[in-house]
Amino acid sequence: MRGTAGGGVAGRTGARRVRAAAGLMLVWVALLWALEAVDLASGHALDAYGITPRDPVELRDIVPAAFLHFGFGHVASNSVPLLVFGFLAALGGTRRFLAVAALIVVADGLGVWLVSPAYSNTAGASGLVFGLFGYLVVRGWVDLKPLDIAVGLAIGAVWGGTVLLGISPTSTGVSWQGHLFGLVAGVAAAFVFRRRPTRGAAPLTP
């Protein structure tokens, strides 16, 4: 009886997490597309909110830049991996996901601000995408959760080559700095927001 009741509660909790994660990421990606539509309608006025390095005034654009893009093709290239990585990350809890995303966006933006070429303008969700990739690949090993380890290995196998290419300094037309700092921030987030075992927790009865 305990196993059946526990399974029912776990099932309902799991279904809620799936709905919450899916809803959050669908809204997030829809916002990116809506902002690009506004940018197009305004004659690309929102492009000014990208990050221009080493200008103190530009520090205010670190967060907005992660939601802006240079054209619909740019948005489209980030949408699928952001949906997939964001959904998988948010299954661990939306509050934890939002904290992870905030750390990645801020750390990545600061890195871009510090080291990107002078007079460049950097925007886009790819820093967050690379960060979530790093977070998902490492999270299972940090939390010691076999299912998350399997998810990380699968993601690494599918997208690992693309990520390596994206952080290569030889890549042209993209901010490899933003990709690299995002990746490092995501790995760091897995440690900063790792699951800590609950002391004195009673074992579950099968």
Side-chain angles (χ1 to χ4, degrees):
M1 290 299 293
R2 289 182 182 180
T4 302
V9 171
R12 290 193 295 273
T13 301
R16 284 197 298 269
R17 287 197 172 192
V18 168
R19 289 194 296 269
L24 173 62
M25 295 317 302
L26 287 171
V27 170
W28 194 304
V29 172
L31 175 62
L32 303 186
W33 284 85
L35 287 171
E36 187 54 35
V38 171
D39 185 47
L40 179 62
S42 65
H44 301 289
L46 297 185
D47 290 353
Y49 293 93
I51 302 170
T52 300
R54 293 170 295 283
D55 180 352
V57 177
E58 291 293 307
L59 288 171
R60 67 187 180 188
D61 294 334
I62 284 176
V63 173
F67 294 85
L68 303 173
H69 294 80
F70 301 124
F72 286 108
H74 190 197
V75 182
S77 67
N78 285 327
S79 292
V80 172
L82 182 58
L83 275 172
V84 174
F85 298 164
F87 172 74
L88 292 173
L91 285 176
T94 54
R95 285 188 294 180
R96 186 188 189 193
F97 167 77
L98 291 173
V100 167
L103 187 153
I104 293 170
V105 167
V106 172
D108 179 56
L110 285 172
V112 167
W113 184 84
L114 283 170
V115 307
S116 286
Y119 310 111
S120 61
N121 186 20
T122 302
S126 57
L128 178 58
V129 168
F130 276 67
L132 291 174
F133 172 88
Y135 172 74
L136 289 169
V137 168
V138 173
R139 178 183 64 177
W141 302 98
V142 175
D143 292 345
L144 300 178
K145 296 184 67 174
L147 179 58
D148 287 345
I149 290 173
V151 169
L153 290 173
I155 288 173
V158 174
W159 272 285
T162 301
V163 168
L164 288 176
L165 182 62
I167 63 175
S168 170
T170 60
S171 297
T172 58
V174 298
S175 174
W176 64 267
Q177 298 94 339
H179 295 168
L180 178 59
F181 278 104
L183 181 64
V184 172
V187 171
F191 289 91
V192 172
F193 299 106
R194 66 187 180 276
R195 299 284 189 192
R196 292 172 174 81
T198 303
R199 292 183 179 180
L204 296 177
T205 302

